[in-house]
Amino acid sequence: QKEVEQDPGPLSVPEGAIVSLNCTYSNSAFQYFMWYRQYSRKGPELLMYTYSSGNKEDGRFTAQVDKSSKYISLFIRDSQPSDSATYLCAMSAGSGGSNYKLTFGKGTLLTVNP
Amino acid sequence: GAGVSQSPSNKVTEKGKDVELRCDPISGHTALYWYRQSLGQGLEFLIYFQGNSAPDKSGLPSDRFSAERTGGSVSTLTIQRTQQEDSAVYLCASSFDRANRQFFGPGTRLTVL
């Protein structure tokens, strides 16, 4: 079992739809959770960064972490064609040790159709 | 402010040749990371530098891979005797400290023929 599982999609939605992207993980030591957006042939761009469980909202984006279920989500409201990209979840352990090592999901390819 | 920059953006080489990939981190960032992104494999950690501390090289796939960071800033990833399986996008990231807000460069796309 891989440490981080992410459905690769592809996911295709109409403009304006609410998008839900998810990852599951197996390592209970993970404390930091991130979502990156990667456009084709570009580097990953940090979208959301959360610590431990709970919700975090930034504009049209909401990140949720449920540590009891080892499940994280990214919601995109009022999706736009410019949101079309690959979304990568990433996570790392808490303080100490190798907490700088990010473990990534394989990414979900999202297309928002105008 | 400038982000992480990498050069070259693309590199095509022949099997058996050596290649050097360069990374310029964000000014003031003390931590620097290299990752590899391969089709079907996702992003894999390669190496981590933090200040003057010994780097964490635990992710390097073989002894053909090495990296250095001079003056606490620019880093070079060297792959010796390249193989076709080395073909991938090599991404560099930096952060203010060993915390986890890592900011990535655009990557170097390496193709080994």
Side-chain angles (χ1 to χ4, degrees):
Chain A
Q1 180 190 14
K2 290 191 71 69
E3 278 193 295
V4 179
E5 300 276 2
Q6 182 175 11
D7 186 338
L11 182 61
S12 182
V13 301
E15 183 174 355
I18 297 174
V19 175
S20 172
L21 304 166
N22 312 291
C23 289
T24 59
Y25 63 96
S26 58
N27 188 344
S28 58
F30 287 147
Q31 299 276 358
Y32 296 91
F33 304 92
M34 287 135 273
W35 287 95
Y36 283 85
R37 177 175 63 195
Q38 187 174 25
Y39 292 114
S40 181
R41 304 184 84 87
K42 301 288 187 184
E45 171 193 6
L46 181 62
L47 272 182
M48 301 291 281
Y49 175 88
T50 55
Y51 172 70
S52 196
S53 286
N55 293 0
K56 183 173 183 178
E57 187 173 320
D58 184 0
R60 297 184 295 111
F61 299 89
T62 299
Q64 288 186 351
V65 175
D66 182 349
K67 288 186 66 182
S68 62
S69 302
K70 295 189 177 67
Y71 186 88
I72 70 170
S73 301
L74 178 70
F75 297 94
I76 307 174
R77 291 183 299 280
D78 187 25
S79 56
Q80 302 295 309
S82 59
D83 295 328
S84 299
T86 296
Y87 289 80
L88 302 158
C89 64
M91 43 199 83
S92 68
S95 60
S98 303
N99 65 325
Y100 46 81
K101 283 187 187 177
L102 296 184
T103 301
F104 283 85
K106 289 189 176 182
T108 300
L109 178 61
L110 170 68
T111 301
V112 180
N113 301 298
Chain B
V4 177
S5 61
Q6 292 186 246
S7 60
S9 55
N10 285 283
K11 178 71 176 179
V12 180
T13 191
E14 295 179 345
K15 178 181 172 181
K17 301 280 190 183
D18 297 352
V19 295
E20 284 190 354
L21 312 179
R22 176 187 166 105
C23 172
D24 270 286
I26 293 172
S27 177
H29 281 190
T30 60
L32 186 146
Y33 318 76
W34 284 96
Y35 291 84
R36 179 170 70 174
Q37 188 171 32
S38 310
L39 276 175
Q41 293 297 318
L43 267 143
E44 303 170 275
F45 167 84
L46 295 178
I47 189 169
Y48 160 74
F49 295 92
Q50 172 62 53
N52 295 321
S53 302
D56 177 353
K57 305 179 182 180
S58 61
L60 296 178
S62 78
D63 58 9
R64 295 186 296 105
F65 288 72
S66 62
E68 63 178 22
R69 189 178 185 193
T70 54
S73 181
V74 171
S75 177
T76 302
L77 177 69
T78 301
I79 309 173
Q80 295 178 310
R81 304 181 303 282
T82 51
Q83 303 295 311
Q84 288 183 330
E85 61 262 29
D86 299 334
S87 296
V89 177
Y90 290 83
L91 290 158
C92 176
S94 69
S95 64
F96 183 68
D97 55 22
R98 66 182 285 145
N100 299 294
R101 294 177 192 266
Q102 296 180 23
F103 297 90
F104 283 81
T108 293
R109 184 172 298 272
L110 175 65
T111 303
V112 182
L113 301 177

